[in-house]
Amino acid sequence: MGVFIFQKTLMMNKLFSVLFFLIHVWILTRGDAEVSCQLGQSCILPCSFTPGDDPAIHWIQLTLIKAKVHSYHDNKDHWVHQDQRFRGRTSLFKDQISKGNASLQLTGVMVQDEGRYQCFTSTITHKNTSLLTIRIECEAEVYCQFGQSCILPCSFTPGDDLVIHWMYWKPTQAEVHYYYLNKDHLEHQHQRFRGRTSLFQDQFSKGNASLQLTGVMVQDEGGYNCLARTIADKGGRCFTMKVYAPPQKINMKQTENQIICSSDGIYPEPDLSWSISPPSSRTFQNTTRVQETEELLYNISSSLTLSDGEDDLDYICTISTPSNQRRASWRRGPSVKIISGEATISCSASDSSLKGFSLVWSFNQNQMIVTKKEDDEQRVSEEWKQHVKDVSESGRLTLQHLSADHEGTYTCEVSKDEETNITQVSLSPAEESNNPHVTIIIVLTVIGISAVVIALVFFCRRRRRNAQRKAAEVSSVASNTEIILNRISEEAPADYGAVRNDQEQQAETTL
Ligand SMILES: *[C@@H]1O[C@H](CO)[C@@H](O)[C@H](O)[C@H]1NC(C)=O
Ligand SMILES: *[C@@H]1O[C@H](CO)[C@@H](O)[C@H](O)[C@H]1NC(C)=O
Ligand SMILES: *[C@@H]1O[C@H](CO)[C@@H](O)[C@H](O)[C@H]1NC(C)=O
Ligand SMILES: *[C@@H]1O[C@H](CO)[C@@H](O)[C@H](O)[C@H]1NC(C)=O
Ligand SMILES: *[C@@H]1O[C@H](CO)[C@@H](O)[C@H](O)[C@H]1NC(C)=O
Ligand SMILES: *[C@@H]1O[C@H](CO)[C@@H](O)[C@H](O)[C@H]1NC(C)=O
């Protein structure tokens, strides 16, 4: 029985502690009133109560350890237990307390003031607790490029006894840079900022408390606060710093029946979209993959499955972040043949000048042949020096001394600003009929054969004419003979036929 009661109380205790915890969570999370305060300004935290005798007012900040902000009872303020962070910065509206106004005025608002506050009031008859949350307004945004150095701006009214305190305060607090008594005090600097911060001391007299941060990382993103205090000024500035790493270069290449579009080291997370030009109503199968790198940047890659036999389409890949966009297009150009060791490959359909563009010709998607920068500076790779004959203003590449080893794909990449156009051309050996030597041989052969045929025809005609002439001669002889024979035939008609047949046979054989 005793054991049972013991277990029961244990259970009750557990139940109570769970309940207590839930109530605590509820108090901490229920929707409070919110007050926005400007950094460095003064701010009123509203609170009211039912007026009564012997009022007491206690303001508490609900941080991990509760901090006493302001206490009032027995008709006066009590400072003994006030947290030092609030020293000299709080006041009540004394003339309003009797009317049930327990609002607190807080001056020189700091980022550390952000959070939840409790206003506890009591009179002889009533007790009340209300909660509110202070948000520090930091609407300003500063953008810093990944890997670069960045100036975080802050200014103040110049004066003596300068103290500059740079804090990182969101999402967690960390000391960035502290300057007072005319020098830097970096003992408590967070290790993430070690060796990366500096102030422009020569600019202090101009009220410039800007901080230079080098080697910007994604982890540096967040809320910053600059407090620059002199005897004259208690100013400050807070802002949200955002890191960006725009897509630097888009790679596009073909593998079997797919086109891969990719770009590395982008921040924030990019979007990738495909489009086809001229626009097509059909959709192409495509899949995109995003990977986060160790530096918290993003690598993005997408593959688009090609359709067969649609050669003259441009496949356009666009990679974008909220602040930047880059585009690349890929197309297959008409294939080109090597003719007596030479070939000319066009970079684009149009013949317009590429002045001010950058150009790269490469072989089999990895071997660089020639690059031409925006300023027209041209560089040919060592391996291709003897093969590159000319690169025209429109990017047309003329190659020489080519062999079968040079068959393959040639890729031309033209870039300007945020756009790259890629043309891929395949180079193949010449077909027989296209070789001039073969052509000459064929032409000569044809001419030769024709000559022989013409000669033959001419010869035959002549022989026929000769034969006809002979036949005519023979027949005139024959007619003469006929007259003679006719005369003879009167005497011997039987023989005539024989002679005539003989003569006709003779004429036929001569033909
Ligand atoms: C207690 O405080 C809340 C919030 O300020 C207020 O709405 C409510 O009327 C107060 N109750 C009494 C009894 O004063
Ligand atoms: C309390 O008094 C101050 C100063 O007069 C006023 O600004 C504030 O609105 C009052 N607050 C309430 C809750 O009455
Ligand atoms: C502070 O000085 C730096 C370095 O000369 C300069 O780049 C920056 O623009 C200045 N900032 C302000 C707020 O004057
Ligand atoms: C890429 O795929 C999506 C769906 O996965 C589709 O909506 C889109 O049209 C495709 N893009 C092209 C260019 O076909
Ligand atoms: C992202 O790209 C970089 C540069 O190409 C490469 O070194 C890195 O391994 C890639 N990371 C991931 C997670 O794919
Ligand atoms: C890429 O091609 C498009 C369309 O043909 C053209 O308008 C654009 O100027 C080209 N851009 C570059 C960098 O060659």
Side-chain angles (χ1 to χ4, degrees):
M1 193 67 175
V3 174
F4 179 71
I5 288 170
F6 176 70
Q7 279 187 342
K8 212 171 164 183
T9 34
L10 205 71
M11 257 173 60
M12 292 287 271
N13 273 347
K14 269 192 182 164
L15 205 69
F16 273 124
S17 56
V18 166
L19 255 174
F20 181 77
F21 175 75
L22 286 177
I23 287 168
H24 195 72
V25 166
W26 175 71
I27 285 175
L28 285 178
T29 55
R30 87 185 140 138
D32 313 335
E34 271 199 18
V35 181
S36 292
C37 298
Q38 296 278 343
L39 193 83
Q41 307 291 307
S42 76
C43 194
I44 292 174
L45 285 60
C47 180
S48 57
F49 62 101
T50 314
D53 285 340
D54 218 355
I57 301 167
H58 295 275
W59 277 96
I60 292 163
Q61 189 187 18
L62 298 173
T63 43
L64 282 177
I65 310 158
K66 287 183 183 177
K68 290 230 162 68
V69 178
H70 197 103
S71 293
Y72 174 93
H73 54 86
D74 300 320
N75 286 318
K76 59 177 198 243
D77 298 315
H78 295 264
W79 306 111
V80 186
H81 300 292
Q82 189 187 37
D83 190 286
Q84 60 143 10
R85 272 196 292 126
F86 296 99
R87 197 138 293 170
R89 297 169 52 219
T90 61
S91 58
L92 297 171
F93 300 98
K94 295 280 163 56
D95 56 329
Q96 303 271 326
I97 293 175
S98 58
K99 295 173 191 158
N101 184 340
S103 302
L104 181 82
Q105 179 158 34
L106 185 64
T107 58
V109 170
M110 310 190 292
V111 287
Q112 293 93 327
D113 295 339
E114 191 171 77
R116 294 165 57 89
Y117 289 78
Q118 190 179 50
C119 169
F120 174 81
T121 53
S122 70
T123 57
I124 288 175
T125 47
H126 290 94
K127 277 193 169 85
N128 203 357
T129 302
S130 64
L131 288 160
L132 67 93
T133 299
I134 292 188
R135 295 242 170 271
I136 308 290
E137 275 188 2
C138 266
E139 274 165 13
E141 286 184 348
V142 172
Y143 290 87
C144 291
Q145 184 165 1
F146 179 86
Q148 308 285 311
S149 76
C150 191
I151 292 175
L152 307 179
C154 181
S155 53
F156 60 97
T157 314
D160 291 335
D161 293 342
L162 176 64
V163 175
I164 297 174
H165 198 179
W166 274 95
M167 289 284 295
Y168 178 80
W169 65 287
K170 243 180 189 176
T172 56
Q173 289 201 3
E175 187 158 305
V176 179
H177 201 102
Y178 207 175
Y179 174 95
Y180 57 91
L181 296 174
N182 297 318
K183 62 177 203 234
D184 290 330
H185 293 267
L186 306 176
E187 306 81 45
H188 301 292
Q189 184 182 47
H190 191 278
Q191 60 163 6
R192 177 147 50 84
F193 296 102
R194 198 136 293 169
R196 298 171 53 216
T197 61
S198 57
L199 298 169
F200 301 100
Q201 300 204 5
D202 57 328
Q203 302 275 320
F204 288 169
S205 57
K206 293 177 189 153
N208 182 342
S210 302
L211 180 88
Q212 173 159 293
L213 180 66
T214 58
V216 169
M217 312 186 286
V218 173
Q219 291 91 328
D220 295 335
E221 237 184 19
Y224 283 78
N225 173 42
C226 158
L227 268 171
R229 273 202 316 268
T230 58
I231 288 173
D233 190 17
K234 256 189 181 178
R237 183 183 153 84
C238 76
F239 53 82
T240 302
M241 190 261 255
K242 293 199 166 166
V243 174
Y244 67 98
Q248 296 291 331
K249 181 179 193 307
I250 296 185
N251 298 303
M252 273 181 110
K253 61 176 186 183
Q254 188 195 3
T255 62
E256 290 163 37
N257 64 336
Q258 289 190 324
I259 297 182
I260 315 278
C261 170
S262 64
S263 188
D264 294 333
I266 305 167
Y267 193 85
E269 188 170 339
D271 272 336
L272 187 151
S273 67
W274 288 97
S275 60
I276 311 294
S277 172
S280 159
S281 59
R282 42 170 309 212
T283 58
F284 294 76
Q285 200 195 323
N286 60 94
T287 46
T288 302
R289 204 171 58 140
V290 180
Q291 281 182 304
E292 195 175 76
T293 72
E294 276 174 21
E295 294 165 303
L296 307 179
L297 302 175
Y298 296 96
N299 289 359
I300 194 164
S301 170
S302 183
S303 60
L304 182 86
T305 304
L306 287 186
S307 58
D308 291 329
E310 289 193 68
D311 271 0
D312 32 356
L313 290 180
D314 281 359
Y315 301 90
I316 301 157
C317 171
T318 307
I319 297 180
S320 47
T321 59
S323 55
N324 294 86
Q325 193 180 67
R326 201 170 258 277
R327 227 169 76 108
S329 76
W330 188 97
R331 63 152 45 224
R332 195 183 292 143
S335 58
V336 168
K337 303 222 176 329
I338 303 175
I339 295 168
S340 49
E342 281 201 12
T344 297
I345 321 169
S346 284
C347 191
S348 68
S350 79
D351 227 14
S352 53
S353 163
L354 292 182
K355 269 224 166 87
F357 288 66
S358 82
L359 171 81
V360 181
W361 271 106
S362 54
F363 178 57
N364 282 346
Q365 310 200 8
N366 55 30
Q367 209 182 98
M368 205 271 288
I369 301 172
V370 59
T371 58
K372 210 169 179 175
K373 298 222 186 86
E374 285 91 337
D375 58 10
D376 239 22
E377 186 198 319
Q378 184 176 315
R379 258 195 54 220
V380 181
S381 79
E382 212 48 55
E383 292 166 275
W384 286 83
K385 273 226 161 96
Q386 56 159 327
H387 298 297
V388 174
K389 190 174 175 186
D390 180 51
V391 183
S392 81
E393 206 171 87
S394 65
R396 215 179 321 108
L397 175 70
T398 306
L399 296 169
Q400 59 187 0
H401 311 309
L402 298 178
S403 65
D405 291 344
H406 300 106
E407 287 159 23
T409 55
Y410 287 75
T411 310
C412 160
E413 253 183 80
V414 180
S415 311
K416 192 184 172 114
D417 306 326
E418 271 74 50
E419 193 176 47
T420 303
N421 289 348
I422 300 167
T423 307
Q424 186 175 305
V425 175
S426 69
L427 197 64
S428 53
E431 281 161 16
E432 297 284 285
S433 63
N434 275 0
N435 189 318
H437 297 306
V438 174
T439 315
I440 288 168
I441 290 168
I442 289 172
V443 167
L444 285 179
T445 316
V446 167
I447 289 172
I449 291 172
S450 324
V452 168
V453 168
I454 289 167
L456 261 172
V457 166
F458 185 74
F459 180 69
C460 289
R461 283 236 179 104
R462 231 176 103 171
R463 271 191 69 175
R464 179 173 301 192
R465 237 181 275 133
N466 282 350
Q468 274 169 349
R469 208 181 332 123
K470 268 196 186 146
E473 276 168 22
V474 168
S475 60
S476 71
V477 170
S479 50
N480 289 345
T481 320
E482 208 169 355
I483 297 161
I484 299 161
L485 283 179
N486 274 343
R487 283 193 205 128
I488 296 167
S489 70
E490 279 156 14
E491 295 141 40
D495 277 323
Y496 159 72
V499 172
R500 192 187 157 91
N501 275 357
D502 250 33
Q503 281 195 337
E504 268 175 352
Q505 259 172 12
Q506 214 181 334
E508 268 161 26
T509 37
T510 39
L511 264 172

